[in-house]
Amino acid sequence: MATYDRLQRLSLTMRATGTTPLCTYRAYEFPRTWAQALKQVFCRKNQDGEDTDEPYGLPLWAVSTAIAALLPQLLVSNSSGRADTVWLAWNTEEGTPEPDEEVLLELVRSGLIVAAQSRNDKARRRNRPEPVDMQQLASILKCFRTDHLRSEIRQLHITAGEPLCPEGYRLLPHVIANHLVSTGWKVLHAGKSWVWNEKAQEKEEEPGKDITVYGISRWRRCVSDEGVELLSWPPHRYVSSNGTVYPWSYTMRLTAQNHGHDSAPLIHVTLGTRRWARGNVWDGKRGITAYLFAASSWCDDTCPFGKARMKWRPGPKGKKEGKMVWDDVLAETLARVTSHNALPSAPALAADPRAFLEPDEGMPQAGVPFRDGLGEYANHSVGKGISARDRWQIFHQLQEAVKDFAEPEQPLERLYVPLRPRPSASDLLKIDQAALAQATAQRIAVDVAWDTTVIRDELVGALHEMLDLCPPTPTERESSPRLRETVLRGTDIEILLRSYPVGELASPLPVNSSISKRKDRLADASESRRTKVVQKLRAPELWNVPRFALVEMANVGTFASAEHDPKQTVKGAAGSVGVLVQNITPPKETGEGSGKESTTTRRERARKSAMDLLTRQSGMLSRPDHLGSKDNPLNEVTTVGLWVVRRTGDQRATLPLAVAQLPDEPFARLRMPHTNTWLPFREGLLTLTDYETERHFDHSYVQQFFGEVVQEVCDGSDVVLLTLAQNLRSCCPGLSNAHLMPNVLAFDPRTPIQPEARKGLRHVRLRTNLRDETSQHFAFKEGADAGDVGVGSSLWQDPLRPCHFFSTARKPATAGSGSPQGSRIEKHWASMGKDEQGRKKYGMRHDVLQDVWNPRLLEILVNCHDESDDPRSWAAIPHQQRYAAAHFADPLALPAVLHLAQGVGEQILPPYLLAPIDQTDG
């Protein structure tokens, strides 16, 4: 495998424009008279009667979504409706039409009516009063006039080293996208042609055929939640050997960003693929997104595609009836302001999406993006992701298209740091008894609450194997004939293994639908189950023994709703009697195909569940053999990660915590507001499982708590403090780019921690690719041919910024098999199998069907350090910590202490409710 020494980010630095603006636009503020009138209708408290609920805001997102989809020159800048804020920005380049304010007015009226109806429908479904008086709204909207609209001409300037104007970060991606689309920019997918020299056993360029063009991508804009998105259009088509056509497109998202310690604007380019559904689609529980190509009198080739959502509306109970319906404000707004014929029927679109995407005659009307789970007839053969070669091909042609006002960032340079070698499969199956005893105690108890004997036997076998213990014959207790107890004795630890049927603990919660408030409904449903869990698990004879439990329980999708799922109730109640719980789902039918699993897969599930329970929930970590860089190693360093568990709604949480790994301990410690000491990780988790534990703290308390943590750990020894920007910035604005300053640590920007109070502490701030805050990339070798690219796993340094580093992880075992030098369109030189003599054959092949993996970029900014420090050594620690999980062979998305901190949230919230830390790459 090639070793690459340079890494190119898909990131563009904007050139200073001087006196010539990048664009001129007409800026609108939402009329104050409209906002004041609408607040009487929309800005009301939620109907739950709780003082903590925020008032409703103006639903201008419904208006803005429709405007963005229908008016090509309109760049939606802000949907808050606040004073002194740009609401809409109209591109006023030479030759573009002036805004039709009558159309704007109608879109405002239509969007607000649709949004109000949507709120009322939602309230009715929840058996609550309708929050919006439609007659009052209608009378207000009648008074809206075009002369209420006020606008002014503004210019977007790029000044060297200076941040953009407030609306600039929203406008800049749209300006660039408009430039690309209006100039007809296209990407040629072209590459060298090769022949195989059997005598020399190598490839050679084919004479007279230096470059072959395999395809062309042209582009259209579409509405996007972040930045601006472009689709290659018309779609590319893969035709299988049996003649089946699979349409797909490249996607390109542009977002405006900047670096910490540097306010100059950047454009991050995120590339991917959009596979289009070709057959009947259906999902009874989730909405289905559709792209709408709405025709109207003011549309042109630069007009973006809109996005709307369909959902399945079941028929009367007990009857097999139902239909697809539009469930989105955009679709309803389009229907009000355009011809109804411009909107496809939702049932017809779901039944045959390809007929609307590639009609026999006329223009396409809609397309449905393919995703897994859209029905058995909605399969797609084109692989997921986008290769390094395709990233290079599109990005290097984009550079040429925008060279007048942007240039690519400098390539990153590879740094070599020692890492933990990848553990073997056999090593991963073993738990270090001595380390587990140090993290818990020399005697522990593990319950196995089973629903099927298959899972029971798999879990018991996994525990024996992982701890390398030979079990004696189990014995049954006379007091409970179905309770089996076994004592497993090892050299460093003794385990009391208890197994029994899970019984009604795993049954659906009894939800009383007559209780209108969801929070009260959940509390009522959980009360009786908590009592039964406590009765089942209470064991006075084990009061001073660390306890764990593996519980067989169905996944959330098998229950009537998420409210019926008992997992969190069981976990919380078990914690109240000192038991940490890990769930495992029941066995699937043995075999291959959807809904089935092999015996090997089932055994692996059992091992992972048991390993997660005893290692992750005990906070066990593998200490790196070497810390720091190769030429400047570090010793005796304590690693501390700060985290906030965040969730709003009826399970509201804003919970600050800290996780630390001491140099001489093989496990992590946890510090929370509820304790004044650093507890072993397992004990800290038990503290949080208490149902009455406070989980919501205001921002000032979060900042105060983190200040106390810093004070506690700064005893003069070497400490590295890790923070994640996307997780903390809302609570700690001092860590945001706008306030971050070199060698200044401040959770509240107004009150920085004094240098003498953080002696020995180095602060390292991280960012992931969530909201495209770190860019995509490809790797290459200095001096190699252009286009000879791949992926690289390493620590990388920014040559222009000595404290900026980036981490890419090595390829995990579960990664796709696609080649980084392959392409969805171009052919590339690759192995074609073996000949009759068993020798490898080579030739040109497509990589259309293979999934492609690319490592995500983790930004590492050494924000605070001593003058004598080498920043590279301190940047190496979070990179090395990605390989420190005791229960996982592949690298973690975050350093181990932050990985454990994120997992703490699962003790109080279901995993699907936790705030994400990264996004799917491509």
Side-chain angles (χ1 to χ4, degrees):
M1 180 179 291
T3 300
Y4 301 98
D5 53 15
R6 294 290 184 272
L7 187 136
Q8 178 64 58
R9 288 164 289 175
L10 273 59
S11 184
L12 299 166
T13 301
M14 302 302 300
R15 301 182 191 273
T17 58
T19 57
T20 303
L22 191 63
C23 80
T24 303
Y25 59 96
R26 183 178 295 277
Y28 286 87
E29 180 183 326
F30 192 75
R32 292 295 89 209
T33 55
W34 294 4
Q36 292 169 1
L38 291 172
K39 284 179 181 179
Q40 302 174 25
V41 181
F42 286 108
C43 293
R44 298 178 177 176
K45 293 279 186 179
N46 289 340
Q47 300 299 317
D48 292 340
E50 296 184 4
D51 295 336
T52 56
D53 283 340
E54 295 296 325
Y56 281 136
L58 298 180
L60 294 184
W61 55 270
V63 176
S64 302
T65 301
I67 291 175
L70 290 172
L71 303 182
Q73 303 302 328
L74 203 55
L75 310 176
V76 176
S77 181
N78 191 284
S79 296
S80 67
R82 289 193 292 265
D84 302 321
T85 300
V86 172
W87 167 43
L88 305 173
W90 182 277
N91 186 14
T92 59
E93 292 181 6
E94 186 177 354
T96 59
E98 286 296 311
D100 187 332
E101 294 186 345
E102 289 290 347
V103 173
L104 278 180
L105 180 59
E106 181 56 30
L107 288 172
V108 170
R109 289 171 173 161
S110 298
L112 290 171
I113 289 173
V114 170
Q117 291 172 338
S118 176
R119 284 189 179 174
N120 286 349
D121 290 344
K122 184 177 180 180
R124 283 196 300 272
R125 290 195 300 270
R126 296 184 174 183
N127 297 318
R128 296 177 180 176
E130 294 184 359
V132 180
D133 186 328
M134 297 301 296
Q135 290 185 344
Q136 182 186 11
L137 176 62
S139 64
I140 289 175
L141 295 179
K142 285 181 181 179
C143 300
F144 286 8
R145 303 191 309 272
T146 55
D147 57 14
H148 291 152
L149 293 168
R150 297 286 187 272
S151 65
E152 65 178 11
I153 298 297
R154 297 183 184 179
Q155 294 179 334
L156 181 63
H157 287 273
I158 307 295
T159 305
E162 295 295 327
L164 293 171
C165 60
E167 65 266 23
Y169 286 95
R170 295 288 301 272
L171 286 171
L172 184 57
H174 289 273
V175 171
I176 296 175
N178 264 346
H179 169 78
L180 295 173
V181 173
S182 61
T183 57
W185 176 65
K186 60 188 177 183
V187 173
L188 297 180
H189 299 274
K192 292 181 178 180
S193 297
W194 305 93
V195 294
W196 176 243
N197 186 330
E198 291 200 19
K199 185 176 180 179
Q201 288 289 296
E202 60 186 25
K203 61 180 180 179
E204 296 179 347
E205 289 187 43
E206 188 172 353
K209 292 186 178 181
D210 292 344
I211 299 294
T212 299
V213 177
Y214 297 100
I216 299 175
S217 291
R218 296 178 173 85
W219 302 84
R220 289 286 300 270
R221 285 197 300 144
C222 63
V223 173
S224 175
D225 295 332
E226 298 283 346
V228 65
E229 183 176 315
L230 295 99
L231 284 172
S232 65
W233 197 262
H236 298 289
R237 304 164 89 239
Y238 165 69
V239 183
S240 67
S241 57
N242 64 2
T244 304
V245 177
Y246 296 93
W248 63 277
S249 300
Y250 287 110
T251 65
M252 180 167 65
R253 187 168 62 251
L254 306 177
T255 57
Q257 310 283 348
N258 57 21
H259 286 299
H261 300 174
D262 188 347
S263 57
L266 305 167
I267 290 293
H268 283 180
V269 182
T270 303
L271 300 171
T273 56
R274 177 85 68 245
R275 301 176 297 168
W276 300 103
R278 60 178 185 83
N280 180 275
V281 296
W282 185 86
D283 192 323
K285 294 185 177 181
R286 299 169 59 192
I288 300 176
T289 299
Y291 282 68
L292 301 178
F293 316 138
S296 64
S297 58
W298 53 83
C299 283
D300 60 24
D301 289 341
T302 67
C303 191
F305 300 150
K307 282 194 291 189
R309 186 179 59 196
M310 301 181 289
K311 73 171 183 179
W312 175 255
R313 178 177 293 168
K317 191 173 182 179
K319 294 186 178 181
K320 294 183 177 181
E321 298 177 4
K323 63 178 181 179
M324 280 289 179
V325 296
W326 289 114
D327 182 40
D328 197 284
V329 293
L330 173 58
E332 296 184 42
T333 304
L334 292 180
R336 291 177 61 89
V337 299
T338 68
S339 167
H340 283 267
N341 295 329
L343 274 177
S345 156
L349 177 59
D352 189 5
R354 191 180 164 205
F356 293 87
L357 182 73
E358 297 180 330
D360 295 333
E361 297 180 1
M363 298 295 291
Q365 289 182 282
V368 177
F370 171 82
R371 61 171 166 80
D372 294 328
L374 285 182
E376 58 180 314
Y377 301 110
N379 64 311
H380 211 291
S381 291
V382 176
K384 302 174 185 176
I386 183 168
S387 68
R389 170 72 188 191
D390 278 342
R391 290 182 178 187
W392 169 83
Q393 187 71 273
I394 296 173
F395 185 68
H396 95 270
Q397 294 183 58
L398 175 65
Q399 294 173 219
E400 184 66 23
V402 299
K403 64 181 180 181
D404 292 340
F405 51 84
E407 60 185 2
E409 285 203 275
Q410 290 291 319
L412 303 175
E413 299 172 352
R414 185 187 189 101
L415 295 176
Y416 293 89
V417 297
L419 297 175
R420 181 184 73 160
R422 184 185 182 90
S424 65
S426 59
D427 290 339
L428 278 179
L429 292 177
K430 303 298 181 184
I431 296 178
D432 186 327
Q433 291 186 26
L436 178 60
Q438 194 172 351
T440 56
Q442 291 185 325
R443 182 170 183 257
I444 65 174
V446 179
D447 289 15
V448 175
W450 51 272
D451 190 46
T452 61
T453 56
V454 172
I455 291 297
R456 179 198 65 188
D457 295 343
E458 291 287 5
L459 290 173
V460 172
L463 290 168
H464 296 154
E465 185 176 8
M466 288 187 305
L467 292 161
D468 199 19
L469 302 171
C470 297
T473 303
T475 59
E476 293 186 356
R477 293 178 57 181
E478 293 182 2
S479 59
S480 180
R482 303 197 68 187
L483 171 64
R484 295 187 175 187
E485 291 189 346
T486 304
V487 177
L488 310 178
R489 292 185 175 87
T491 55
D492 296 288
I493 198 167
E494 179 180 292
I495 299 177
L496 173 62
L497 180 59
R498 298 155 35 99
S499 67
Y500 47 82
V502 67
E504 62 180 328
L505 299 190
S507 63
L509 294 179
V511 178
N512 185 350
S513 58
S514 65
I515 301 176
S516 60
K517 291 180 62 176
R518 187 171 186 268
K519 185 175 181 180
D520 293 342
R521 199 164 56 244
L522 290 172
D524 176 77
S526 301
E527 183 177 0
S528 61
R529 186 62 48 87
R530 289 176 58 84
T531 301
K532 293 174 182 177
V533 171
V534 170
Q535 292 173 347
K536 188 93 169 182
L537 296 183
R538 179 182 285 125
E541 69 275 16
L542 298 175
W543 70 270
N544 63 342
V545 176
R547 296 183 60 192
F548 303 84
L550 291 156
V551 181
E552 183 179 358
M553 196 175 294
N555 62 34
V556 65
T558 62
F559 295 98
S561 73
E563 294 182 12
H564 292 79
D565 187 354
K567 291 187 185 65
Q568 288 301 120
T569 298
V570 171
K571 185 177 291 187
S576 68
V577 291
V579 181
L580 287 179
V581 170
Q582 176 67 30
N583 297 115
I584 182 171
T585 56
K588 300 178 182 177
E589 182 182 348
T590 304
E592 298 181 355
S594 177
K596 298 181 180 180
E597 65 180 349
S598 66
T599 54
T600 301
T601 302
R602 185 180 302 141
R603 184 166 294 116
E604 186 66 20
R605 284 203 299 118
R607 289 169 176 168
K608 286 182 177 180
S609 295
M611 182 69 75
D612 188 270
L613 178 66
L614 294 181
T615 57
R616 183 184 65 81
Q617 296 202 45
S618 294
M620 292 176 60
L621 295 172
S622 297
R623 192 74 183 178
D625 295 333
H626 304 279
L627 282 178
S629 61
K630 203 168 186 178
D631 55 350
N632 188 17
L634 301 173
N635 298 300
E636 302 297 318
V637 176
T638 296
T639 306
V640 178
L642 303 183
W643 195 263
V644 172
V645 178
R646 290 186 293 113
R647 165 65 181 168
T648 59
D650 52 23
Q651 298 190 62
R652 185 186 299 268
T654 306
L655 173 63
L657 54 92
V659 177
Q661 183 180 19
L662 304 179
D664 57 348
E665 292 182 340
F667 63 93
R669 290 184 176 271
L670 188 57
R671 174 76 163 85
M672 300 165 297
H674 317 92
T675 64
N676 56 8
T677 59
W678 289 81
L679 297 175
F681 196 77
R682 184 195 69 87
E683 295 179 26
L685 291 185
L686 286 173
T687 301
L688 288 177
T689 56
D690 186 346
Y691 189 76
E692 301 300 327
T693 299
E694 178 61 36
R695 301 167 180 178
H696 184 57
F697 298 86
D698 61 30
H699 290 182
S700 62
Y701 182 87
V702 172
Q703 296 161 13
Q704 176 187 337
F705 172 75
F706 286 153
E708 293 173 359
V709 169
V710 170
Q711 184 179 4
E712 291 170 3
V713 300
C714 289
D715 58 1
S717 60
D718 288 332
V719 178
V720 58
L721 181 73
L722 305 181
T723 61
L724 180 66
Q726 288 101 335
N727 176 255
L728 294 187
R729 68 161 64 94
S730 61
C731 297
C732 303
L735 301 180
S736 66
N737 280 357
H739 300 289
L740 198 67
M741 298 176 62
N743 285 320
V744 173
L745 177 59
F747 303 113
D748 180 343
R750 299 167 298 182
T751 55
I753 298 175
Q754 297 303 309
E756 59 271 17
R758 51 179 175 85
K759 184 179 180 181
L761 182 137
R762 285 81 174 178
H763 172 222
V764 179
R765 194 201 69 169
L766 310 176
R767 283 200 294 178
T768 67
N769 70 340
L770 190 65
R771 294 182 292 275
D772 299 316
E773 291 187 42
T774 62
S775 65
Q776 290 183 325
H777 51 90
F778 57 81
F780 64 95
K781 192 170 181 63
E782 188 75 25
D785 292 339
D788 184 11
V789 297
V791 297
S793 60
S794 187
L795 181 66
W796 311 85
Q797 182 170 9
D798 189 327
L800 301 180
R801 302 174 180 89
C803 289
H804 277 77
F805 303 82
F806 296 85
S807 169
T808 53
R810 62 188 173 211
K811 187 173 182 177
T814 55
S817 59
S819 168
Q821 298 186 26
S823 171
R824 298 283 179 229
I825 295 181
E826 302 172 50
K827 288 185 177 180
H828 74 110
W829 189 259
S831 173
M832 306 292 285
K834 295 182 178 180
D835 59 19
E836 295 177 354
Q837 287 75 39
R839 299 178 303 174
K840 281 189 175 182
K841 296 189 301 181
Y842 290 87
M844 303 296 286
R845 85 170 190 206
H846 277 114
D847 269 3
V848 181
L849 309 181
Q850 287 78 19
D851 292 340
V852 179
W853 173 83
N854 281 281
R856 300 169 194 174
L857 207 58
L858 177 68
E859 182 189 76
I860 301 172
L861 171 60
V862 182
N863 186 56
C864 296
H865 62 90
D866 293 342
E867 291 184 3
S868 59
D869 285 341
D870 182 351
R872 295 176 301 171
S873 295
W874 296 98
I877 292 179
H879 180 64
Q880 292 162 327
Q881 269 239 330
R882 297 183 69 182
Y883 297 81
H887 64 297
F888 204 50
D890 294 324
L892 303 169
L894 295 175
V897 290
L898 294 183
H899 171 80
L900 289 175
Q902 186 197 23
V904 171
E906 296 180 13
Q907 293 300 121
I908 60 175
L909 296 170
Y912 62 88
L913 291 181
L914 293 174
I917 60 165
D918 61 4
Q919 63 194 28
T920 301
D921 199 356

